[in-house]
Amino acid sequence: MATDELSSKLSRRLQIEEGAEDPVAVDAPGQHTGSEEKPNTANANSELGAKLLRREELNEGIGEHSLPSMKIFNPYTEFKEFSRKQIKDMETLFKTYDAGKDNYIDLMELKLMMEKLGAPQTHIGLKNMIKEVDEDLDNKLSFREFLLIFRKAAAGELAEDSGLCALARLSEIDVSTEGVKGAKTFFEAKVKAINESNRFESEIRQEQEAKKKQAEEQKQRRAAFKELQSAFK
């Protein structure tokens, strides 16, 4: 019986393929054809195929790996308005008050800093100081955010009576006692000092180039003289 039934099914399929009969869908009671699962299976196969194709493209160097952005902070390239020495000094100051040595200055460490600088702040004042430069909203100061204080101060973006302005002013040399060539304010004097420093460095480089050129010319003259001497021997 099983052989006859199988033979009948094969014969019917052959007739359908040859066009002799039209296929008829018949659902037997209590039987599942699995047609309900076909869309899900197709989607899974499609997704798997896309992933395999993507991996193959990456292996062949066609596509690019999509990795999360990991920008490395370089204070010397991002804060070009400050000299390397100034950034080093700011880093030293930052590390001095980073009591937890976690590369952050939190509210209590900022409180201690302002007290040491002679400009103590209220709890609300300290929170406002952090909030003004806290770009990642973690309620503490990273070294980059610490440098932003001095950038804002130099650009005149801080209120004169603000805690951040006091921090920037008191943590640097007060030009009013140093008398830096008639500069009106501390930050004007700082910008002027930076420009003078850059000009001084440029002059040093020019002197070094001139000395190098002079030494090279002397070397060439000595070589020419020796060559001339050997010609007369």
Side-chain angles (χ1 to χ4, degrees):
M1 293 295 294
T3 306
D4 293 341
E5 184 179 355
L6 177 60
S7 176
S8 175
K9 287 182 178 179
L10 291 174
S11 175
R12 178 170 173 73
R13 177 172 294 181
L14 181 61
Q15 290 175 357
I16 291 173
E17 291 177 353
E18 292 177 350
E21 285 190 44
D22 294 329
V24 178
V26 178
D27 291 336
Q31 292 184 351
H32 297 281
T33 61
S35 59
E36 297 85 351
E37 298 178 0
K38 285 185 178 179
N40 292 336
T41 304
N43 291 338
N45 290 338
S46 176
E47 184 179 353
L48 178 60
K51 288 182 177 180
L52 292 174
L53 179 61
R54 172 69 175 161
R55 177 171 294 181
E56 184 178 353
E57 289 177 348
L58 292 176
N59 291 337
E60 294 177 356
I62 299 175
E64 295 182 357
H65 293 276
S66 55
L67 297 175
S69 176
M70 297 180 64
K71 184 179 179 182
I72 299 176
F73 167 56
N74 186 334
Y76 303 109
T77 56
E78 186 170 347
F79 292 84
K80 294 181 180 179
E81 64 266 41
F82 301 125
S83 67
R84 292 181 66 87
K85 183 181 183 305
Q86 287 172 321
I87 292 177
K88 287 287 187 183
D89 291 342
M90 294 173 192
E91 185 179 15
T92 299
L93 179 66
F94 180 86
K95 290 182 176 180
T96 298
Y97 292 98
D98 176 20
K101 305 303 178 187
D102 57 354
N103 297 319
Y104 290 97
I105 290 180
D106 59 24
L107 190 138
M108 293 306 297
E109 290 167 340
L110 181 61
K111 179 178 183 293
L112 176 62
M113 175 188 287
M114 297 308 294
E115 289 174 353
K116 291 287 187 180
L117 293 175
Q121 304 289 311
T122 64
H123 184 77
I124 298 298
L126 293 167
K127 292 182 70 174
N128 288 336
M129 288 175 66
I130 294 176
K131 184 178 179 180
E132 190 161 352
V133 291
D134 186 17
E135 292 187 333
D136 54 7
L137 305 178
D138 59 357
N139 298 317
K140 52 188 178 181
L141 298 177
S142 65
F143 181 51
R144 182 183 182 279
E145 292 165 342
F146 187 71
L147 290 178
L148 285 177
I149 298 173
F150 297 93
R151 169 176 284 176
K152 286 177 173 287
E157 298 176 2
L158 299 176
E160 288 293 331
D161 58 349
S162 69
L164 291 183
C165 187
L167 188 157
R169 183 177 66 253
L170 295 173
S171 60
E172 295 281 350
I173 298 174
D174 190 346
V175 297
S176 63
T177 59
E178 296 294 322
V180 183
K181 299 182 181 179
K184 292 181 180 180
T185 64
F186 166 72
F187 295 110
E188 288 177 353
K190 183 165 71 171
V191 172
K192 187 173 181 179
I194 292 173
N195 293 335
E196 290 181 354
S197 175
N198 291 339
R199 185 171 64 250
F200 180 70
E201 291 175 358
S202 177
E203 291 173 353
I204 290 178
R205 285 195 297 269
Q206 290 176 1
E207 290 178 3
Q208 290 175 342
E209 289 294 329
K211 289 180 179 179
K212 184 178 179 180
K213 184 178 180 180
Q214 185 178 5
E216 186 66 26
E217 290 175 350
Q218 289 177 351
K219 182 179 179 181
Q220 291 176 356
R221 285 197 297 268
R222 286 195 297 267
F225 180 74
K226 288 182 179 180
E227 185 178 352
L228 185 61
Q229 278 184 326
S230 63
F232 285 99
K233 288 183 180 178

